[in-house]
Amino acid sequence: SLPFTLCLEEYGLLIVHAGLVPGVPLHEQDMLDMYKLRNLADAGGGGADSGDAGGGAHGSGGGGRRRNGSLVPTEDPLGEPWASKWEGPWH
C-alpha cells in the first residue's frame, strides 16, 4: 500500500522506483513500469520487441500497458534507457 511515486514539490522532484514512459501523463502511467521500467524499444518494428507491441515488456503480454505511440517498455537490454527520452518535467 506504499505509493509508486513521491512528490517533493518544494524541490520540483517526482521520484519513482524505476521509470516513466515519456509522453504518457502521470495519471495514465502503468504501475508496473514505475516499479520495473529500465528501457524503451521502438514499437514500429526492428529490434527485439518487433511484432509484439510491447508484449515482451516485463512478461505482461502488453494488455492495457500505456505507451507513447513510438516507444514501448521493454526488458530488452538493447532498448534505450527511458531517461534518455524523458523531456520533463525536469527534476
Side-chain angles (χ1 to χ4, degrees), residues 13-49:
L13 294 173
L14 178 68
I15 301 167
V16 296
H17 175 79
L20 299 170
V21 178
V24 176
L26 182 60
H27 68 277
E28 293 182 14
Q29 293 284 335
D30 188 286
M31 285 191 274
L32 185 60
D33 292 333
M34 287 189 259
Y35 173 66
K36 292 190 75 170
L37 179 66
R38 295 291 184 254
N39 294 322
L40 297 165
D42 181 5
D49 282 348

Side-chain angles (χ1 to χ4, degrees), residues 61-87:
R65 303 289 303 280
R66 299 289 180 183
R67 49 187 167 258
N68 77 355
S70 62
L71 298 171
V72 294
T74 183
E75 289 185 1
D76 187 333
L78 299 178
E80 295 185 57
W82 73 272
S84 70
K85 298 296 183 183
W86 186 255
E87 295 181 1

